[in-house]
């Protein structure tokens, strides 16, 4: 581990790092120009927009596009020079995508809820912690250690790593469900007034509850939990309805 860090530090002091930094700057410029063109073309300047937000740097699309450009640039540079700056840049950009996605989706789905801010901070801390473990090379060691912590659940064996991966999978699925439900709600509530507004709001809440329920079912299936048990199914329904309403 120490030897790997030493090699990385020596590579970071090479003149080729300037080429990497220039490539990263070019990627940022291209990402900004592309998102700006899309925002102007689609006329998206709504602060509630998850992809664009009120400004170019505010939405999810900019860090996603920047990550794609940076990954492509790293693949090109790796063919003729060692890379050091990209070994930090890629994990940082992945963490930014996760943080921005979680924050924007939660803000769009629950704009006036007080528990959204603490949850956003939790997602941010978790993303940055994983980024540090990734950059330092400790992430595989931590995952292997979590694999060694096992216990019996019925006829199957589960590990701490499986449990954590299941929770993360459920979180990703729920965020996707909330993203879709927020988009549907925005469509339903657009230009609605009076009694029609109340009806559409109730309909959007029902759609959100259904999507979260389906997302929980998919997440539990991915973890390997037997969904034939009524207790698990009933708990998923209760959680889904609670989040949706």
């Amino acid at each position: 581990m120490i030897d790997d860090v030493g090699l990385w530090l020596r590579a970071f002091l090479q003149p080729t790092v300037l080429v990497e930094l220039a490539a990263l700057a070019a990627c940022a410029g291209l990402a900004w120009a592309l998102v700006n063109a899309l925002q102007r073309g689609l006329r998206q300047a709504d602060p509630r927009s998850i992809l664009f937000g009120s400004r170019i740097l505010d939405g999810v699309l900019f860090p996603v596009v920047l990550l794609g450009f940076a990954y492509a640039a790293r693949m090109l540079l790796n063919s003729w020079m060692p890379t050091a700056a990209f070994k930090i840049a890629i994990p940082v950009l992945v963490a930014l995508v996760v943080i921005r996605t979680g924050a924007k989706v939660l803000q769009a789905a629950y704009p006036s809820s007080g528990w959204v801010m603490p949850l956003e901070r939790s997602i941010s801390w978790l993303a940055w912690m994983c980024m540090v473990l990734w950059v330092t090379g400790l992430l595989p060691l931590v995952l292997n250690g979590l694999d060694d912590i096992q216990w019996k659940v019925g006829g199957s064996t589960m590990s701490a790593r499986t449990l954590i991966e299941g929770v993360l999978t459920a979180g990703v699925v729920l965020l996707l469900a909330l993203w879709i439900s927020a988009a549907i709600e925005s469509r339903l509530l657009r230009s609605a007034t009076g009694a029609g507004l109340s009806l559409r709001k109730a309909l959007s809440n029902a759609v959100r509850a259904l999507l979260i329920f389906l997302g929980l079912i998919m997440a539990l299936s991915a973890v390997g939990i037997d969904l034939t048990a009524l207790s698990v199914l009933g708990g998923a329904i209760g959680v889904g309805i609670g989040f949706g309403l």
Side-chain angles (χ1 to χ4, degrees):
M1 184 63 62
I2 297 177
D3 293 338
D4 292 340
V5 174
L7 289 173
W8 175 80
L9 289 176
R10 285 194 293 272
F12 201 83
L13 296 176
Q14 298 298 318
T16 52
V17 171
L18 297 177
V19 178
E20 294 183 69
L21 295 178
L24 284 171
C27 290
L30 288 173
W32 186 90
L34 178 59
V35 176
N36 181 46
L38 289 174
Q39 189 179 48
R40 290 179 180 275
L42 298 176
R43 297 179 181 178
Q44 291 283 346
D46 186 357
R48 297 170 297 179
S49 173
I50 296 175
L51 281 178
F52 295 96
S54 58
R55 300 181 303 274
I56 295 175
L57 304 179
D58 187 44
V60 173
L61 188 58
F62 176 77
V64 169
V65 173
L66 178 55
L67 175 61
F69 283 153
Y71 187 80
R74 189 188 71 169
M75 295 292 292
L76 291 175
L77 291 177
N78 274 337
S79 61
W80 62 279
M81 60 177 281
T83 56
F86 276 97
K87 291 182 179 179
I88 293 181
I90 297 298
V92 168
L93 291 175
V94 170
L96 287 176
V97 169
V98 172
I99 294 170
R100 184 62 55 82
T101 302
K104 295 297 292 185
V105 170
L106 290 173
Q107 290 170 7
Y110 304 100
S112 58
S113 299
W115 53 267
V116 169
M117 185 63 70
L119 187 56
E120 289 178 14
R121 291 175 181 172
S122 300
I123 294 174
S124 178
W125 278 103
L126 179 63
W128 288 124
M129 182 179 66
C130 292
M131 185 274 295
V132 172
L133 292 176
W134 182 0
V135 170
T136 56
L138 295 175
L139 187 58
L141 298 178
V142 173
L143 293 178
N144 291 333
L146 292 173
D147 261 334
D148 295 334
I149 305 174
Q150 299 181 352
W151 60 88
K152 287 284 187 180
V153 179
S156 60
T157 302
M158 292 189 65
S159 66
R161 176 177 178 175
T162 303
L163 181 61
I164 293 174
E165 289 177 349
V167 171
L168 293 177
T169 301
V172 171
V173 172
L174 288 177
L175 281 178
L176 290 175
L178 288 174
W179 191 336
I180 296 172
S181 67
I184 294 174
E185 181 179 11
S186 177
R187 295 274 185 177
L188 288 175
L189 300 183
R190 185 177 301 172
S191 70
T193 57
L197 178 61
S198 301
L199 179 60
R200 293 189 182 189
K201 183 64 177 177
L203 181 59
S204 67
N205 287 338
V207 171
R208 177 176 299 171
L210 177 61
L211 287 175
I212 292 178
F213 166 65
L214 294 176
L216 283 174
I217 293 299
M218 293 173 58
L220 292 174
S221 300
V223 178
I225 296 177
D226 186 10
L227 296 180
T228 59
L230 293 178
S231 58
V232 175
L233 187 58
I237 294 173
V239 173
I241 293 175
F243 271 105
L245 301 177

